[in-house]
Amino acid sequence: MASHDASKIKPTDLSEAQAKAELKRLAGEIAAHDKRYYQQDAPTVTDAAYDALRQRNAAIEAHFPALIRADSPSRRVGATPAGKFKKVRHAVPMLSLDNAFAEQDVVDFIARIRRFLKLDEKEKISFSAEPKIDGLSMSLRYEGGELVTAATRGDGAEGEDVTANIRTIKDVPHKLKGRNVPPVCEVRGEVYMTKSAFLALNERQKASGGQIFANPRNSAAGSLRQKDPTITASRPLGFFAYSWGEMSEMPADTQSGMIKWFESSGFKTNPLTKLCRSTEELIAFHRKIEEARAELDYDIDGVVYKVDRIDWQERLGFVSRTPRWAIAHKFPAERATTVVRGVLITVGRTGALTPTAQLDPVGVGGVIVQNVTLHNEDYIKGIGGDSEPLREGRDIRIGDTVIIQRAGDVIPQVVDVVIDKRPRDAKPYHFPTKCPCYLHTDIVREETATGEEGARARCTGEFACPFQKIEHLKLFCSRRAFDIEGLGEKQIELFFEKGWIKEPADIFTLPERNKKIKLEQEEGYGETSVRNLFEAIEQRRKISLDRFIYALGIRHVGETTALALARGYGSWKAFHDAGLKVGKGDEETIAEMDAIDQIGDTVIQAIAAYFGESHNRGIVERLTKEVKILDTEKPKKDTAIAGKTVVFTGALEKMTRDEAKAQAERMGAKAAGSVSKKTDYVVAGPGAGSKLADAKKLGVKVLTEDEWLKLVGG
Ligand code: IVH
């Protein structure tokens, strides 16, 4: 029998040959998932599906112990580190947790502990019950109370050195508080991103054409894997401490005591953590946290129970890679069944097409889901291979009853189709070949970097496609671009439909053309609102260079990149000239652009594509006649603070923190968020706390606000 069929046979019913083939298949599959999860921050299956693979592997191994492979997933935790960062060997390995799904698993877990410790019936075991945060585990090493290394888990034995990035997280103290700090302390815990921050980050990424993350965990991982710590600093990450590695002395003899010590040392610990004294209390805790799950602003995928007494933890020890004294009690994946009523195709600013299933509204884990992304054509056809959460071989049709799951707690996805309930007349869905806009431009499948057909479909209408135009106008008017009050998404759609605003320059000629348009007669408008709108438009005729560049909507040019370009070129004329030359493939200008801090190949190619297109050049030409673009001062090289790194802390009285930073940067200095040996000045105002202490400790020069102003000469 082929191994393909063996995958459906119960572990206990497999023949030895089948078991061998199954273990081989599972090892390969799990390793591939691990690689995508740990190294590429891009898992392609739900945690539940992944857990199911590991469980099957464990069940087969339990039945055929002689067949356990050297490369078995049960012998590994995660994948080997990705290589961009320096490697760090963990003084104490970072292990994983065994999973419990059913209540019986919890009962068995406790019975095992009792047996192992030979406790009699009357002896109570206390457990520290903690939410299981779905983030990335991190090991923070403190020597002499100072943070020296931060390392990811990696394969459990060796992780990646992400110290510079971790230092930008406000929940991670650079120095431990308290008097009797042990000389060596490794504090472990979870780095995570809140759900709200994740959604906001994806919005920004979408606007700049950057990477979109599937869930908060991946965005936290992606944010930590940055070579440039300033990018990590711009991403709101949090940290909860819950465990430890090497400790030269133990400040407590229980898990709960350690948690208190983490708090007194300056860490955040999870406020829902609770000491439980019986199986019933544990189960009640699991239920309570599951109920609270939807309301929490961070993802959790279960709870963790840990024997509270550390002497018992030590006696219990480990089985292969998991402790006997702890278990993760997972939540069942949240699922619901509903019917697909239609497929809506939307066109993004860059022309990418996204199909969305329109569903009968259904509650999944505390939220109502009405539409769910279908990703792309292959996904709908059920040929996304094992790379998608949808069960392989299932196609989705209008009228189908589907199973929805909220993966990673945030994004709902279709995981299966109930074939028995498929209406007889349901036909396979045909992905459109023409853009849904009135131009009906052709749709093509994008090519991948290797020249193969990619999964993403794109409208070829480019600048003629009205959807792309509308999306660009939305970006243009948005808060971080031209920030035009009164021109929100709805108004833009209306003005575009009416033909009043077709491209950015039209916004500025609207007041003049209103003699004919008579906006004040439109429903929802009056004299005052029209006057306010036109005033808002007038106010934006002057704009900073960085905002202007961002507002152009060039792919891969988000706010940070736009600012880097503005600083690099200083004036619109300089940037525009360079853009036009790059658009013509001028090697010298490309090399110049490449030399600008933070600018690389992808951005240069996007700028070249943008200015290489005559339609865009026209848009820019008409727009620049309407607005005045203010120069960005290039960082100066001949000031007292050029090339220095400065940190502002405490309250400033003569200017805001942002103004102070901007001024420092104009004068060629770098404004950093945390103090290190590389800091040249710390400007401390009233209320300065740990950063001032860090500066004193490291012997960094501390200035008052007045001393700083004197230094910068103003
Ligand atoms: S304790 C030896 N406590 O779950 C035990 N882990 O599957 C070390 N996690 O790698 C882990 N919340 O990333 C522990 N309160 C918690 C946790 C937690 C989340 C993660 C952690 C770990 C994974 C184990």
Side-chain angles (χ1 to χ4, degrees), residues 95-97 130-133 137 153 190 242 304 306 323 325:
L95 303 176
S96 178
L97 291 169
E130 310 168 3
K132 187 170 183 297
I133 317 296
S137 46
R153 179 167 75 169
E190 205 83 354
Y242 55 63
V304 184
K306 300 173 183 169
W325 44 266

Side-chain angles (χ1 to χ4, degrees), residues 208-222:
S208 65
Q211 183 186 4
I212 304 287
F213 297 102
N215 54 47
R217 190 201 168 278
N218 293 339
S219 59

